[in-house]
Amino acid sequence: MDAEFPVSKGWEKLSSTLTRQGRPPQNEEGAPVNLPLTRGSTVLFPSLDAMQKQGHRRYDHEYIYGAMGTPVQHELEKVIASLEGGTDCQIVSSGLAACTTPLLAFLKAGDHCLLPDSVYGPTRRFAETLLKRFGVTTTYYPPCADAATIQSLMQPNTRVLFAESPGSHTFEVQDMSMLASVAHAGQAKLMLDNTWGLGIFAPFKHGVDISIQALTKYPSGHSDVIAGAVTVNTQEDWHMLRDASIQLGQLASPDDCWLTLRGLRTMGVRLAHQSRAALQIAHWLKNRPEVARVLHPALSDCPGHEIWKRDFTGAGSLFGVVLSPQISQHAMETMIDSLKTFGIGASWGGYESLVLPTSGGIIRKHPVTGAPQGPAFRLQIGLECPTDLQDDLAQAFEIFKTAV
C-alpha cells in the first residue's frame, strides 16, 4: 500500500521546535515574542581594537558589517542549521545562489563535477555556462543510477557529486548513503539540493557534506521572499563556504530573513495539511482516465519510492502528473488555462496551489531519464480544501472532450 505511514508525520513533529528556535530570550519582563528587525550597513565599535577583534569573527555568525549578515540573518542561519542537522549555515540571496555558491566554493579550474540528469534547470544552465567558462567540466548521471554506474563516471579530478532528491519535474528519489560512499571514496564532496525534504530528510545522517535550501519555498511559505541557505557539518567545510560567500557578497536582506523566520513558525502545520492534501489528490489523479502516471515519491510506482520510504519521515506538497499520450500538448495547455482555483506560475511551497506545464521544457542527456511520454504538468498543493482542488481539476479535464 502506498505511504505506509502518514506523510504529515515529519512535519507535525517539527511544530514545537519551530515555535521555539530563533527567538529573543523569554526570561526577561517585557521580552518581545519575535526578534526585532535590524537594518544596517555600518556597525560602530568603541575602539579600533574592538573593531579588529570583531572582524576576525567572520565564522561566528556575528554582526561585523551589513554585507556580512545582520543579527536576524544570523539567527535564521542557526535555525536552518538545526533543522538540517548541521553545524553552520550561510544564508544567500536566492535558491539558485544556494546551488551556485557552494559549487564556486568547492570547485576550481580543471575540476570535474557530476550532476543528476534531473537537476533543477538553472543549476544545469550554470554548469554549462559559467562553470564551463571557468574550466570546470560536468557529466550528467541518471538519477536512479546504481553505485557501479556512478563509480564508472567518477574521474580522478571529480571534486563534487551533486544530487537533487526528489528530482526536478520527474521526482526521482536518490540514495544518498550510496552516493556519499562513492563520492567520499573518490575524495569528492556530496552536495544535495534538499529543498523538498527540509525537516523530513536528515542529509548529514546519510553522508551529505553540503545541504542546499531554497528558503523561497516552504520556510517563507507565502510567495513573497527570495532567499536560499547552504548548510555544512564540519568546520573545514564551513570555512570554505563562509569565505566564498563573503568574497561573492552573498547574503539576504534583513527583511527577507525576518519574513522567513516568521514563515518557519507555521511551516510544520502548513506542510502537515499540504502533504496530506497532496497525497489525497495524487491518489485521486491516479484513478482518472486522463492520467497516465502520477510522480509522487509516496506512491509505490514513483522512481525511488523504496528509498523515500526508508529515508524520509514525510512528503512534500509538490508532485508531477503525466497525461495520456493520446492527449495533445495543446489540449493540456487549454485545460490549464481553464483552471479556476489553481494559479499558473513558477515556484512552489507557498500557501496557494499552483500548476506549471513541464513537458516540452525538460532537458535530459540519458534516454532512460528522458521527458515523460505524454503531456505533463507539476502541481503545488496549497492550503485550500482538497475537494475544491479536485473539483477544479475535474472541471478542467472536461476540456479534453472537445480540445485537440
Side-chain angles (χ1 to χ4, degrees):
M1 180 179 176
D2 293 328
E4 292 180 358
F5 57 83
V7 294
S8 61
K9 182 175 73 172
W11 300 111
E12 290 165 347
K13 286 187 174 182
L14 284 175
S15 294
S16 294
T17 299
L18 290 171
T19 60
R20 294 194 302 266
Q21 292 189 342
R23 293 175 59 185
Q26 301 297 300
N27 55 359
E28 298 177 6
E29 184 178 350
V33 171
N34 293 316
L35 283 174
L37 174 57
T38 303
R39 299 187 186 94
S41 55
T42 299
V43 179
L44 298 179
F45 299 92
S47 68
L48 285 174
D49 182 62
M51 181 179 181
Q52 290 165 356
K53 286 179 179 177
Q54 190 77 341
H56 290 299
R57 301 187 65 189
R58 64 186 182 277
Y59 304 120
D60 298 335
H61 304 276
E62 291 287 339
Y63 198 16
I64 298 170
Y65 178 63
M68 297 170 72
T70 56
V72 69
Q73 174 176 319
H74 297 319
E75 287 303 315
L76 177 58
E77 288 168 343
K78 295 170 188 175
V79 174
I80 298 298
S82 176
L83 286 174
E84 292 273 56
T87 56
D88 291 281
C89 170
Q90 172 70 47
I91 300 299
V92 295
S93 57
S94 68
L96 178 57
C99 295
T100 60
T101 299
L103 288 172
L104 288 172
F106 290 89
L107 289 168
K108 65 181 185 306
D111 285 348
H112 174 249
C113 175
L114 281 172
L115 290 182
D117 213 9
S118 55
V119 74
Y120 177 50
T123 304
R124 180 188 291 263
R125 183 174 64 233
F126 177 78
E128 294 183 354
T129 54
L130 203 62
L131 283 186
K132 183 178 180 180
R133 195 167 79 237
F134 286 175
V136 175
T137 57
T138 302
T139 300
Y140 296 91
Y141 65 91
C144 294
D146 59 18
T149 301
I150 302 295
Q151 287 168 345
S152 71
L153 295 172
M154 293 283 290
Q155 299 177 13
N157 60 335
T158 303
R159 292 295 169 262
V160 168
L161 172 53
F162 195 100
E164 182 177 328
S165 182
S168 284
H169 299 322
T170 41
F171 295 92
E172 302 91 343
V173 180
Q174 297 187 261
D175 188 340
M176 288 303 123
S177 298
M178 178 274 288
L179 292 175
S181 178
V182 175
H184 297 159
Q187 306 301 308
K189 297 290 185 183
L190 176 59
M191 297 183 184
L192 167 66
D193 186 335
N194 191 37
T195 300
W196 195 89
L198 177 63
I200 56 172
F201 178 77
F204 302 108
K205 289 183 178 179
H206 296 275
V208 172
D209 297 297
I210 296 102
S211 187
I212 291 159
Q213 289 291 334
L215 301 181
T216 306
K217 311 302 197 259
Y218 295 145
S220 59
H222 293 77
S223 303
D224 54 7
V225 167
I226 299 291
V230 188
T231 305
V232 296
N233 201 38
T234 69
Q235 187 178 69
E236 179 185 9
D237 288 346
W238 171 235
H239 287 187
M240 288 280 290
L241 174 66
R242 178 62 172 154
D243 286 343
S245 299
I246 292 171
Q247 291 153 13
L248 291 166
Q250 277 296 344
L251 76 158
S253 76
D255 296 73
D256 283 342
C257 291
W258 192 91
L259 286 170
T260 302
L261 269 175
R262 187 172 69 170
L264 280 167
R265 306 302 178 206
T266 61
M267 187 177 78
V269 291
R270 281 189 284 109
L271 269 297
H273 170 87
Q274 289 174 253
S275 62
R276 287 193 299 266
L279 188 61
Q280 175 182 323
I281 294 167
H283 278 294
W284 177 81
L285 284 165
K286 279 189 72 174
N287 295 319
R288 293 289 307 196
E290 304 91 346
V291 175
R293 195 173 186 189
V294 179
L295 300 172
H296 188 304
L299 300 183
S300 58
D301 58 348
C302 188
H305 167 74
E306 291 301 319
I307 297 169
W308 170 82
K309 191 163 62 172
R310 182 192 73 191
D311 295 345
F312 286 69
T313 59
S317 63
L318 184 79
F319 63 93
V321 180
V322 183
L323 296 174
S324 168
Q326 285 73 42
I327 295 173
S328 69
Q329 180 79 10
H330 174 72
M332 181 191 73
E333 291 169 357
T334 304
M335 179 275 292
I336 288 174
D337 280 341
S338 71
L339 288 166
K340 298 177 173 60
T341 305
F342 285 88
I344 302 173
S347 197
W348 49 275
Y351 64 89
E352 79 289 13
S353 293
L354 297 171
V355 60
L356 185 72
T358 54
S359 51
I362 297 177
I363 300 171
R364 293 291 186 268
K365 299 284 187 181
H366 299 276
V368 71
T369 58
Q373 296 305 301
F377 56 89
R378 187 181 76 182
L379 290 179
Q380 138 72 13
I381 304 303
L383 292 173
E384 301 90 347
C385 175
T387 53
D388 288 344
L389 297 173
Q390 288 172 195
D391 290 345
D392 193 28
L393 289 164
Q395 67 82 22
F397 282 166
E398 288 295 309
I399 206 74
F400 295 140
K401 295 179 180 178
T402 56
V404 293

